[in-house]
Amino acid sequence: MRLFVKIFLSFMLVLILALCSVEYCMVQRSFGQALEQKIDHELEQFRFIRMVIYMGGTQMGEQQLGERSMLLVGADGEILYGGFTEALMEASGEIEQPGKITYVVRETNGRHLLFVSGELPGGDTGQVLKTATDISHIYRERTLLEKQYSYYIYVALLICGLLAMAISYLLVNPLKRLQRSADRIAMGEYSGRVKESSRDEIGELARSFNQMAEAVEKKVEELRQEASRKEQFMGDFSHEIKTPMTAIIGYADTLYQKELSRKETREAAGYILNEGMRLEALAQKMMRFIALDNEDFCFEEIPAEEFFQDISQTMAPFFSYGERSLRVSCREGCLNAEWDLMKTLVINLVDNAKKAGSRRIFLKGEPEGEGYRITISDDGRGIPAESLTRVQDAFYMVDKSRSRKQNGAGLGLALCKKIAALHGTFLSFYSREGKGTTVTMWIPGRRERHVEQGSGKENA
């Protein structure tokens, strides 16, 4: 059964029960009062007639009877005065009680009669007086009153029924809107919302529904974007694999099909070796990139001095010759990080700076508030402004030809971004073409004394 019908029928049922109860009580009360007044009046008249008969005889009593019928019975059962018809005699029955005035209402031949009975005063005569009064008009008035109330009830039910339909519609309509919105969401339309038109429970339900719809829409959009990113990721990955594989297959086929000189053979083998190393680097970075989503990492308090010393020693061989130099400067503190991941992140950033043609690279660490800030800056080629927002995307390369020559795959900064996110931080880039690039990030730590280290030409 529909909720609209349930509300309407419940409202009407309660209304019918209430109106019928009120009608019954009012009619019965009015009828009872009228009947009680009539009985009291008849008892008073009976006492008066009885006293008149006792003092003046039956002739004087007949003048006081009016519309009443009277019966006077002697002590031996003889009828001294008979004003009752045979039907009244049969209907009156034996109602008298010694020493008391009694009455009873009985229905006979479609009429309601009030019988009153009692002994005459004195108590020694044994005579009994009975009267009968037609009170059918009181019952007719009750029937008429019931009909009138029924008419009023029908009118009230009609008006209240229309109001009940309107109220039921107003109560159910917001729920129908909720249902329609839910159906649209089920069909994939996540932008639909319900109008919050009240502050009652239905209004609260509408607000909760809108919050739920907004959360669902946001989650679906995130999933859609994630699926798009994964699709783009797989496309880029396939493209990155295809390029070296095409070169490897091409040069291998040349070696297989043709007779080449030693120089040409070494050149072909060199291309194969270079592209194979590039594939190996791509595979390693890819495995590490995927593994970050499936591992639980243990974070610890790492002394900044020890961490930066490890970075300096690791990168020293790469700056021990040529014009490039790496200068490491840090203030002692602690980093709440996973050592290997943070080391991978910093080395990747330093390596990117080196590949950008930098002569001087600066790695700096310093406390900031309750955290620790790491900055890597260089004087290399810099990054174009239009590429700054994409340099952390997987497989994105600012200069693809130069990156491939250096066995780049466009995963380094994407890996750094993911590692930074695992540490609750992010990478901030500032760069100008031809002037260099600065990368900063903030991680937890504490402030202590200053320590400086260096590697390469400037630290000699």
Side-chain angles (χ1 to χ4, degrees):
M1 185 182 294
R2 306 291 292 182
L3 180 61
F4 175 85
V5 178
K6 290 182 180 180
I7 296 176
F8 176 74
L9 292 181
S10 299
F11 187 89
M12 293 302 297
L13 179 61
V14 172
L15 184 63
I16 289 172
L17 290 176
L19 291 177
C20 290
S21 299
V22 170
E23 176 201 11
Y24 176 80
C25 293
M26 302 239 354
V27 170
Q28 288 301 116
R29 180 181 179 184
S30 177
F31 170 75
Q33 290 177 346
L35 184 61
E36 184 178 357
Q37 290 177 358
K38 186 64 176 178
I39 291 173
D40 290 342
H41 177 73
E42 290 301 320
L43 290 176
E44 290 295 328
Q45 290 297 318
F46 179 84
R47 294 187 182 95
F48 177 75
I49 293 173
R50 188 182 63 166
M51 185 60 65
V52 169
I53 293 175
Y54 175 74
M55 298 183 64
T58 58
Q59 186 66 31
M60 188 174 182
E62 291 175 0
Q63 297 175 359
Q64 308 297 328
L65 288 179
E67 296 181 355
R68 302 173 188 82
S69 299
M70 185 182 74
L71 178 67
L72 184 61
V73 182
D76 55 359
E78 179 183 0
I79 298 177
L80 301 179
Y81 179 83
F84 278 16
T85 63
E86 184 176 350
L88 292 177
M89 291 286 294
E90 182 178 354
S92 65
E94 299 294 330
I95 64 171
E96 58 275 0
Q97 295 181 11
K100 294 183 177 181
I101 298 175
T102 59
Y103 67 91
V104 66
V105 178
R106 288 175 177 164
E107 184 179 3
T108 179
N109 296 327
R111 297 189 304 165
H112 291 83
L113 300 173
L114 173 63
F115 294 97
V116 182
S117 174
E119 296 180 351
L120 292 179
D124 54 348
T125 61
Q127 296 177 348
V128 175
L129 176 66
K130 294 182 179 181
T131 61
T133 306
D134 188 355
I135 58 173
S136 299
H137 65 283
I138 296 178
Y139 287 85
R140 286 194 297 270
E141 290 176 357
R142 183 181 69 173
T143 302
L144 180 60
L145 194 60
E146 288 175 347
K147 289 181 179 180
Q148 291 176 344
Y149 271 104
S150 298
Y151 172 77
Y152 296 144
I153 286 176
Y154 293 146
V155 174
L157 286 176
L158 178 61
I159 297 174
C160 293
L162 295 175
L163 291 175
M165 291 181 65
I167 294 172
S168 300
Y169 174 80
L170 293 176
L171 292 176
V172 173
N173 191 50
L175 299 179
K176 287 185 177 180
R177 292 199 300 267
L178 281 173
Q179 181 186 4
R180 289 193 293 268
S181 297
D183 291 340
R184 288 196 297 269
I185 289 177
M187 295 175 64
E189 299 179 15
Y190 303 104
S191 59
R193 297 292 184 271
V194 181
K195 183 179 179 182
E196 300 174 14
S197 56
S198 63
R199 296 185 178 180
D200 55 9
E201 288 80 358
I202 294 180
E204 293 176 358
L205 178 61
R207 284 189 289 275
S208 299
F209 180 87
N210 288 338
Q211 292 173 359
M212 179 200 70
E214 184 175 352
V216 169
E217 183 181 15
K218 183 178 179 181
K219 188 64 177 178
V220 169
E221 182 61 26
E222 290 176 355
L223 293 174
R224 186 182 291 114
Q225 293 177 359
E226 182 66 21
S228 178
R229 285 194 296 267
K230 288 182 178 179
E231 183 179 352
Q232 181 67 33
F233 182 89
M234 293 307 298
D236 294 340
F237 181 62
S238 299
H239 181 269
E240 289 300 320
I241 289 179
K242 181 180 178 181
T243 303
M245 285 300 295
T246 301
I248 291 172
I249 293 172
Y251 283 108
D253 183 63
T254 301
L255 289 174
Y256 180 76
Q257 296 286 347
K258 297 180 180 181
E259 291 291 338
L260 302 175
S261 65
R262 181 173 179 81
K263 180 180 178 181
E264 291 173 334
T265 302
R266 287 178 61 85
E267 288 179 355
Y271 281 116
I272 293 174
L273 176 62
N274 185 66
E275 294 301 319
M277 291 175 62
R278 184 162 169 266
L279 271 179
E280 181 184 20
L282 176 62
Q284 290 177 352
K285 288 186 177 181
M286 189 68 184
M287 290 295 294
R288 190 63 182 261
F289 191 80
I290 295 173
L292 290 179
D293 291 329
N294 302 315
E295 292 184 14
D296 292 328
F297 299 99
C298 180
F299 294 86
E300 58 182 337
E301 295 292 332
I302 302 173
E305 178 183 359
E306 185 178 346
F307 176 76
F308 279 87
Q309 184 178 5
D310 185 28
I311 297 292
S312 180
Q313 292 174 352
T314 301
M315 299 301 295
F318 300 96
F319 295 91
S320 60
Y321 60 90
E323 296 296 327
R324 295 187 180 91
S325 64
L326 171 66
R327 182 176 179 82
V328 180
S329 173
C330 76
R331 293 182 180 276
E332 188 174 311
C334 281
L335 290 76
N336 185 12
E338 205 282 334
W339 185 297
D340 290 334
L341 290 181
M342 187 55 62
K343 182 177 179 180
T344 299
L345 188 156
V346 175
I347 288 178
N348 266 290
L349 293 176
V350 173
D351 187 58
N352 277 357
K354 184 169 69 71
K355 290 178 180 178
S358 305
R359 296 185 59 196
R360 293 179 177 83
I361 301 173
F362 299 91
L363 172 60
K364 181 181 179 182
E366 58 182 347
E368 183 177 301
E370 296 182 358
Y372 201 88
R373 182 170 296 278
I374 297 177
T375 304
I376 299 97
S377 57
D378 63 67
D379 57 358
R381 286 183 295 272
I383 304 172
E386 64 272 12
S387 298
L388 277 176
T389 57
R390 299 189 59 194
V391 291
Q392 298 182 77
D393 294 346
F395 299 110
Y396 181 80
M397 291 177 280
V398 177
D399 190 337
K400 294 187 178 181
S401 61
R402 183 179 292 109
S403 296
R404 288 197 174 100
K405 288 180 181 179
Q406 298 171 337
N407 292 328
L411 278 175
L413 287 179
L415 185 64
C416 291
K417 178 183 178 181
K418 183 166 287 192
I419 293 174
L422 288 173
H423 287 79
T425 186
F426 59 92
L427 302 178
S428 177
F429 286 78
Y430 173 78
S431 183
R432 293 175 61 188
E433 287 190 84
K435 300 294 184 180
T437 302
T438 299
V439 185
T440 62
M441 65 177 172
W442 181 91
I443 53 178
R446 65 174 181 270
R447 184 174 310 197
E448 289 189 12
R449 64 186 178 85
H450 179 266
V451 177
E452 286 198 9
Q453 308 177 87
S455 63
K457 190 173 180 180
E458 280 200 0
N459 295 323

